[in-house]
Amino acid sequence: IVFCGADARDELEAVLRDGGNAVPVLSSFGFLRDASIAPSAIEPRGDTDPVWLFYTSGTTGRPKGVNLSLRQLRWTCMGYLSSVQALAPGDVALHPAPMSHGGGLFHLPYVMQAGINVVPESGGFDAQECFDLAAHWTEASFFAAPTMVRRLIDVVKKTGQRPTGLATICYGGGPMYLADLEEALELIGPHFAQIYGQGECPMMITVMPRALINDPTQPRYRERLASVGFAQSMVEVAVVDAQGKDVPTGETGEIRVRGEAVMNGYWDNPEATAASIVDGWLYTGDVGRLDEDGFLTLLDRSKDLIISGGSNIYPREVEEALLTHESVAEVAVIGRPDPEWGEVVIAFVVTRQPMTAAELDAHCLTEIARFKRPKHYRFVDELPKNNYGKVLKTALREMDAQS
């Protein structure tokens, strides 16, 4: 059975029929109100039976179906309740992010704890609507990608009104730039927690709880704010070299995670499963480093690493530097193949007001090493994003290649 919006039903039925799939297609709206449809019996399920095919966001390649079972979802919920946020009956979760992605996983702990799940009437993300719903329900929490947090900040700056009724805004799903987080804490308040996870280990690799984010007296406070926190209580996290050996504290390597929440594998893709899960460890494809206290700093996706003239350049570092310029609203950095250097750095920039590449270049010289500066700046009206708010660097590479 396939559920979809009423406007897509006929087209989806035709596509499935042409492909030889006689699958019933039901309108979600009509199904919930059709009294003639009898309730189905509860089907017994084993602990490892697939219950959710969670498709990856596809920011670096073709999306893959992550096979999640009852076991993974149960441990994910327990991890959230023990490491991120304790919940009580009646607590409220708003769902402005697409429920087909990471945001959808957030409804499960609220179901377990007899909470209330609220889907905005708009059916998507509207910053003012989120604030209005929080004020109505009080003690409301929701998941927000960093690009959504940026839009929340912009609304507060525009209206001049500090939001009320918020409990926790749990951010993740992409890099949260330090400047944005500090501005969010100042304008929105002490409501932020961070989760680093993947569909392959949903919501459950590291955590930065609200208490830590709101404690500026702790050692290396700003450095920790720029990290993704420490390992959640239900998993082990390590940073390893190309041979799978732990790297020394403070050195860079690939992040891997082990625990009950790690996926069964990719749907119908044993090759990708074997490449990602080795000896029980999920290799995330993310690059990072651990400090002496176990805080993990996420540098970038390994696929996004730029190697120019034999030197490693992490796009996030360049993006952080550019975002400290007051005229830069958004930025994304990629590598362009180059016959002399191997790759050169290209920056796609959305500005708040007109500016020149020379201005940005001069700014970069004050923030990062000279060799990390973008070779070219491309000014665009907006960055391509998926419906979850993640910047699609695959689309940026295609745009750059076509130019």
Side-chain angles (χ1 to χ4, degrees):
I1 299 175
V2 176
F3 293 97
C4 67
D7 57 341
R9 180 178 177 178
D10 292 343
E11 183 180 359
L12 186 56
E13 266 189 331
V15 169
L16 290 169
R17 186 170 56 249
D18 291 346
N21 297 295
V23 178
V25 179
L26 300 176
S27 163
S28 304
F29 184 86
F31 174 78
L32 293 172
R33 290 160 176 76
D34 191 341
S36 67
I37 300 177
S40 298
I42 296 175
E43 184 72 20
R45 304 296 290 170
D47 211 36
T48 59
D49 288 340
V51 296
W52 192 334
L53 277 183
F54 183 102
Y55 275 82
T56 59
S57 58
T59 55
T60 60
R62 184 179 176 84
K64 296 185 286 291
V66 174
N67 180 352
L68 298 175
S69 69
L70 289 172
R71 185 187 75 232
Q72 279 103 24
L73 296 181
R74 182 172 63 248
W75 280 96
T76 289
C77 291
M78 297 306 294
Y80 184 89
L81 295 170
S82 65
S83 296
V84 183
Q85 182 183 19
L87 299 175
D91 284 351
V92 174
L94 310 179
H95 293 282
M99 295 186 73
S100 57
H101 290 72
L105 291 161
F106 278 73
H107 86 278
L108 293 171
Y110 284 82
V111 171
M112 288 180 68
Q113 298 299 93
I116 301 170
N117 286 288
V118 177
V119 178
E121 187 174 3
S122 67
F125 174 67
D126 178 277
Q128 186 60 59
E129 183 182 33
C130 287
F131 289 144
D132 292 343
L133 286 170
H136 171 79
W137 287 97
T138 71
E139 289 301 302
S141 301
F142 59 94
F143 176 81
T147 53
M148 296 164 66
V149 173
R150 181 67 252 172
R151 287 159 66 185
L152 294 170
I153 295 168
D154 291 341
V155 164
V156 175
K157 291 173 73 173
K158 181 179 179 180
T159 63
Q161 296 180 343
R162 194 175 181 90
T164 61
L166 288 170
T168 301
I169 299 174
C170 195
Y171 64 89
M176 171 63 86
Y177 300 113
L178 180 58
D180 285 346
L181 178 56
E182 290 179 323
E183 191 173 14
L185 291 168
E186 177 186 352
L187 296 178
I188 297 173
H191 303 291
F192 291 88
Q194 178 174 206
I195 285 178
Y196 162 53
Q198 297 182 328
E200 293 87 342
C201 187
M203 295 202 307
M204 201 173 172
I205 299 179
T206 65
V207 61
M208 179 81 83
R210 278 175 57 185
L212 271 177
I213 288 177
N214 296 328
D215 179 15
T217 66
Q218 64 184 288
R220 305 190 308 280
Y221 174 64
R222 296 188 77 247
E223 180 182 323
R224 288 181 174 181
L225 278 188
S227 78
V228 292
F230 49 81
Q232 291 196 33
S233 56
M234 304 291 185
V235 296
E236 299 173 72
V237 174
V239 176
V240 297
D241 61 20
Q243 287 72 48
K245 305 294 184 183
D246 288 351
V247 300
T249 298
E251 293 196 10
T252 298
E254 183 174 0
I255 301 163
R256 67 178 185 178
V257 59
R258 177 168 65 183
E260 294 293 332
V262 171
M263 67 173 180
N264 295 325
Y266 293 114
W267 181 257
D268 200 25
N269 197 338
E271 296 82 7
T273 300
S276 295
I277 301 178
V278 181
D279 297 329
W281 288 94
L282 170 68
Y283 283 73
T284 65
D286 289 332
V287 177
R289 59 173 179 265
L290 285 165
D291 71 11
E292 60 268 30
D293 298 316
F295 283 79
L296 177 68
T297 296
L298 186 63
L299 298 174
D300 242 308
R301 294 288 296 169
S302 57
K303 292 179 181 178
D304 291 335
L305 174 67
I306 300 168
I307 303 177
S308 183
S311 296
N312 290 350
I313 301 172
Y314 295 100
R316 180 173 178 176
E317 182 184 2
V318 183
E319 291 162 356
E320 291 263 17
L322 288 166
L323 281 167
T324 60
H325 194 291
E326 62 183 3
S327 296
V328 174
E330 289 187 294
V331 64
V333 168
I334 63 169
R336 175 194 293 171
D338 183 84
E340 181 179 358
W341 294 97
E343 288 181 290
V344 293
V345 179
I346 309 298
F348 287 79
V349 183
V350 179
T351 63
R352 295 190 175 94
Q353 57 194 36
M355 61 185 311
T356 66
E359 290 177 83
L360 285 177
D361 214 43
H363 178 75
C364 280
L365 284 173
T366 68
E367 300 290 328
I368 54 176
R370 178 179 290 272
F371 74 90
K372 297 179 181 179
R373 292 168 18 251
K375 186 75 170 177
H376 300 282
Y377 297 90
R378 295 192 57 181
F379 295 97
V380 294
D381 293 332
E382 61 181 357
L383 298 176
K385 301 181 181 78
N386 63 13
N387 65 348
Y388 194 40
K390 289 186 178 182
V391 174
L392 293 169
K393 292 200 171 181
T394 48
L396 291 177
R397 291 188 185 99
E398 291 172 3
M399 288 169 56
D400 191 56
Q402 289 169 6
S403 67

